[in-house]
Amino acid sequence: LSEDQIYAIYEAHIPIPNDALTHLMGSRSSRIGSRTDELHRENGTWVASDGQGTVRVLLESPSLPHLVLESTSNLILLGQNDAITASAAAALDPRVIAVANAGSDSLDRADFQGQNLRRIALGVSTPTGIAGSGTYTPEFVFDAPAPFPAWHVIFELENTGALFDTSAVAGVTVVGGIRANRRIEVTSGSLTLEQQFDRAGYEALLSRNAWIEAFRQ
């Protein structure tokens, strides 16, 4: 069966039973290939894991709860691809997505697809054994149908830096902020930070930790 034929079979059975969806996202994920994310949108699947470290999250889903993810090496955040969906997402309550790996697990890459007007707090914690005394810097890669998308997100990075790649969209505007104790670098493209003024339901989700660094002039 071709990729499109497999897609049609699953689409005809929406909502897809969880056991069938788990089977598809595991050993059979390569059979549907590039239409994987399309199927998740049609099915309304708010989170899916292939069992091998890749986790997809559909941010526009009203059913999306706060998430704590483990054993995650590749996080794919599916934003919105059109203005109508983005406007609806902007009206949803904010959510926390925390990648809390342990042991030897680490987040190697996060993909940000489309734009995202839903406010999220993305926390990433790298085990100290991996981060060590140096800098652990996963790739944060952005892609969208149109250039210069906006992402409403506050990054909370613990023992984790970030290598931002926005070359596929020329540049990205992060409406929120970045808090980290490791190196942050824009490797390609541009990154613009803007303040988030919509605080309703958001403040209680964010870390209140802070630090003061003294320096001599």
Side-chain angles (χ1 to χ4, degrees), residues 47-210:
V47 65
S49 171
D50 68 354
Q52 302 177 33
T54 297
V55 178
R56 289 174 164 83
V57 181
L58 182 63
L59 298 177
E60 67 197 44
S61 172
S63 303
L64 179 68
H66 300 300
L67 297 177
V68 178
L69 305 175
E70 298 178 344
S71 301
T72 302
S73 58
N74 181 200
L75 176 64
I76 301 174
L77 298 180
L78 304 176
Q80 302 87 51
N81 288 329
D82 60 76
I84 295 176
T85 307
S87 178
L92 298 174
D93 291 335
R95 286 292 181 259
V96 171
I97 300 173
V99 180
N101 286 323
S104 60
D105 294 329
S106 61
L107 180 70
D108 299 322
R109 175 179 171 127
D111 290 277
F112 301 79
Q113 298 186 2
Q115 62 177 324
N116 175 55
L117 271 60
R118 184 176 195 171
R119 294 165 298 150
I120 62 172
L122 176 60
V124 180
S125 176
T126 301
T128 55
I130 295 177
S133 58
T135 300
Y136 185 79
T137 49
E139 291 184 286
F140 287 1
V141 182
F142 291 79
D143 196 5
F148 301 105
W151 270 78
H152 288 236
V153 55
I154 292 179
F155 294 92
E156 295 265 1
L157 308 178
E158 180 182 358
N159 297 326
T160 308
L163 300 176
F164 284 88
D165 182 355
T166 67
S167 58
V169 290
V172 169
T173 297
V174 170
V175 183
I178 304 171
R179 180 177 181 272
N181 60 351
R182 293 292 190 271
R183 176 170 60 96
I184 302 295
E185 181 181 346
V186 180
T187 60
S188 186
S190 66
L191 182 69
T192 302
L193 298 179
E194 290 187 2
Q195 184 175 352
Q196 173 62 259
F197 291 100
D198 185 1
R199 302 181 181 92
Y202 210 13
E203 293 178 327
L205 304 180
L206 303 175
S207 170
R208 294 181 178 271
N209 293 333

Side-chain angles (χ1 to χ4, degrees), residues 17-39:
N18 287 337
D19 58 344
L21 193 63
T22 299
H23 181 67
L24 174 66
M25 288 310 300
S27 60
R28 299 290 183 177
S29 60
S30 61
R31 295 294 302 277
I32 195 171
S34 61
R35 303 199 70 179
T36 299
D37 294 337
E38 183 182 352
L39 182 64

